[in-house]
């Protein structure tokens, strides 16, 4: 079975709207070459762009990544503080190994902030 990565899903959603890469790039304030890089998984999609894509297509980030049949936790209804925490979580765990690695303490602190933001004891 061929495995498709996130870029393939972005391409499917773009095409379902009948948009070219240039159309999507214009809506996002990006270059068409950036959209091409995202769709081929040659370039990681910044978290702020993921959020814009989700809002543009009125889907959750989970739906962007996994498709429509995923059990989802919508970030649409989260407060700005909770959205920021989720964004930090994604950035922290999606960091490439070539960049500054997060320490275990930083990860624990982030998880504690998430728990507090979600109202967990």
């Amino acid at each position: 079975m061929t495995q498709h990565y996130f870029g393939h899903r972005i391409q499917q959603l773009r095409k379902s709207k009948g948009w070219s890469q240039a159309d999507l790039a214009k809506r996002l304030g990006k270059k068409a070459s950036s959209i091409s890089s995202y769709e081929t998984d040659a370039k990681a999609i910044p978290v702020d762009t993921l959020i814009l894509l989700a809002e543009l297509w009125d889907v959750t980030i989970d739906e962007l990544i996994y498709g429509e049949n995923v059990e989802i936790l919508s970030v649409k209804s989260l407060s700005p503080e909770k959205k920021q925490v989720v964004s930090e979580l994604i950035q922290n765990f999606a960091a490439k190994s070539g960049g500054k690695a997060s320490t275990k303490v930083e990860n624990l602190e982030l998880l504690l902030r998430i728990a507090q933001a979600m109202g967990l004891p």
Side-chain angles (χ1 to χ4, degrees):
M1 179 167 113
T2 304
Q3 184 168 5
H4 294 284
Y5 295 95
F6 182 65
H8 184 259
R9 178 77 178 133
I10 296 298
Q11 182 183 54
Q12 287 176 322
L13 287 166
R14 175 182 59 78
K15 287 182 176 182
S16 75
K17 293 288 187 182
W19 296 344
S20 66
Q21 288 179 343
D23 293 332
L24 180 56
K26 185 175 180 179
R27 286 174 168 83
L28 295 175
K30 303 277 184 184
K31 295 180 181 178
S33 60
S34 292
I35 304 303
S36 175
S37 294
Y38 299 156
E39 290 183 358
T40 60
D41 297 306
K43 184 177 177 182
I45 301 174
V47 173
D48 61 329
T49 302
L50 284 176
I51 293 168
L52 287 173
L53 285 168
E55 290 173 353
L56 181 66
W57 288 321
D58 195 32
V59 297
T60 67
I61 292 174
D62 283 349
E63 286 174 302
L64 279 178
I65 296 170
Y66 299 111
E68 297 170 1
N69 297 325
V70 67
E71 279 190 37
I72 57 173
L73 168 65
S74 176
V75 295
K76 287 172 124 181
S77 61
L78 296 179
S79 69
E81 177 188 55
K82 290 178 182 177
K83 285 182 183 179
Q84 178 62 33
V85 171
V86 170
S87 175
E88 288 177 33
L89 177 69
I90 293 168
Q91 289 176 346
N92 191 6
F93 288 101
K96 296 196 184 264
S97 59
K100 179 186 171 230
S102 296
T103 66
K104 290 180 181 180
V105 172
E106 289 171 332
N107 287 340
L108 287 173
E109 288 172 351
L110 181 57
L111 290 172
L112 284 172
R113 287 186 49 222
I114 291 167
Q116 289 170 345
M118 299 301 172
L120 300 173

